[in-house]
Amino acid sequence: MTRKEFFARAGYGAAGVLLPSCMAGLATSCTIPNPNAPTSGGLPIIKAVPATVTIDGRVGGTTGSIALNDTLNGVPVVIGTGAGQVFITAVTVPTGMTLNTDGTVTIAANTVAGSYNVTYKITEVTNPTNSATTTSVVVVTVSLPVINAVTETTTAINGTTGGTTAALTANDTLNGVPVVIGSSAGQVKLTAVTSPLPAGLTLNLNNGIVTVAPNTAAGAYGITYKITEITNPTNSATATSTIVVTVAGSLPVINAVSETTASINGTTGGTTAALTANDTLNGVPVVIGTGAGQVKLTAVTVPAGLILNANGTVTVAANTAAGNYNVTYKITEITNPTNSSTATSIIPVTVTPPVTALATVDVSTGNLSKNGGYVVINGIVIARTNTGTFLAVSAACTHKGTNVQYVASANDFYCPNHGAKFSSTGVVTLGPATSNLIQYKTTLTGTSLSVYA
């Protein structure tokens, strides 16, 4: 009897260990149990045990196997295609992750931190109906990248013409790499902290460029902004950059031009054209206002009886004595308040003798108290039109001298003698008359209508 036969019949295994099936006594043969053999005539016990694996989401990569604790009949599973091995199948896997055939999970770089559930199934190769399912947790941690917003001072912009700066974010970095403004993983969001921004300045949140509008006042403007990592919204940095606005070379040329206005009748008074009509700023006619690129108007000296209005015109009061009146004024650039110009313009005031009325009539009574009526006074036909205005022409027809009549429906004048017709202004429209009637001016003061040549 060989040594092997002896130990076998004595109930010992090949390693000299007494086997349970042989403990009762000497047996002619004993076998070592296969751990993957069916139990009690059934399938091997297969267990999928939840596991937790961890990985850095910023750099991404592949985890260890989530099937590390799984067993087949009490023995750790071996993933493969041979007898006694198992294969792994994905049930639910979060977007951006891949469950590999060896049980590891691959995640993309810049995956947001969090705990992700991966549900999978292991199936026995030998018995494909024998499987188990579980959900393991992939813990994604993030070692936050270093984000750095760099304070800077831009190259000077000419405030007169305006312009754009370089991007304020040009020197900013995320993990040592220049930032990219956008909405994708690995990019940053730009936010203006300074609100509102200084007048005339606009920050483009899509590219970090600052636009300086034309006619922006010279100065150093601070703009505070923040860059925030898209992948990790708690990761941000703030900086205040300085935008330098200058007036290149010299201030815009401002020119207030002295002039002499058209004369104003001092008896009745009146208003001139704007004294600033010929004034210029940088070669362009000035605009009086409070906005950038406009000018402020200031009276320096204005004679009594005259008023310099906000729009640059001058009002002369009624009954102002005749003479040449000097009005001195100043225009000042709104954008650059030290830039101004002064001029003295002359307002001639004349006085014409009072004009004697050819006829005066009270229009509150008689035919002229109603639309369409007319009267003849001092050889003048005075008519009230259907719209309430007044007309006055010579009464005698230029054909034979017969007094004409006013026809309200046609708003014209008619001679009843030979049928001549005249327009509302006295122009012949139908013969036999060949000469026009004389048209007169009318002035209504209260209810008193005066007629003048």
Side-chain angles (χ1 to χ4, degrees), residues 249-311:
S250 59
L251 292 171
V253 176
I254 189 169
N255 191 14
V257 180
S258 298
E259 60 186 289
T260 300
T261 68
S263 62
I264 298 293
N265 184 352
T267 302
T268 58
T271 300
T272 69
L275 301 187
T276 55
N278 297 323
D279 298 351
T280 58
L281 176 62
N282 237 20
V284 178
V286 299
V287 176
I288 300 172
T290 58
Q294 297 180 337
V295 299
K296 174 184 177 182
L297 174 66
T298 308
V300 178
T301 58
V302 180
L306 277 64
I307 298 172
L308 176 61
N309 300 310
N311 62 2

Side-chain angles (χ1 to χ4, degrees), residues 39-92:
T39 59
S40 303
L43 293 172
I45 298 172
I46 189 168
K47 290 183 178 181
V49 181
T52 300
V53 292
T54 303
I55 193 165
D56 186 346
R58 181 174 63 82
V59 296
T62 301
T63 70
S65 174
I66 59 176
L68 189 64
N69 298 324
D70 299 349
T71 60
L72 179 61
N73 236 23
V75 177
V77 298
V78 176
I79 299 174
T81 58
Q85 297 180 337
V86 299
F87 60 89
I88 192 165
T89 308
V91 178
T92 57

Side-chain angles (χ1 to χ4, degrees), residues 2 48 52-53 107 135 139 179 193 228 262 278 283 314 369 393 419 436:
T2 66
T52 300
V53 292
I107 70 167
T135 299
V139 177
V179 299
V193 177
T228 303
N278 297 323
V314 175
S369 65
V393 296
N436 298 334

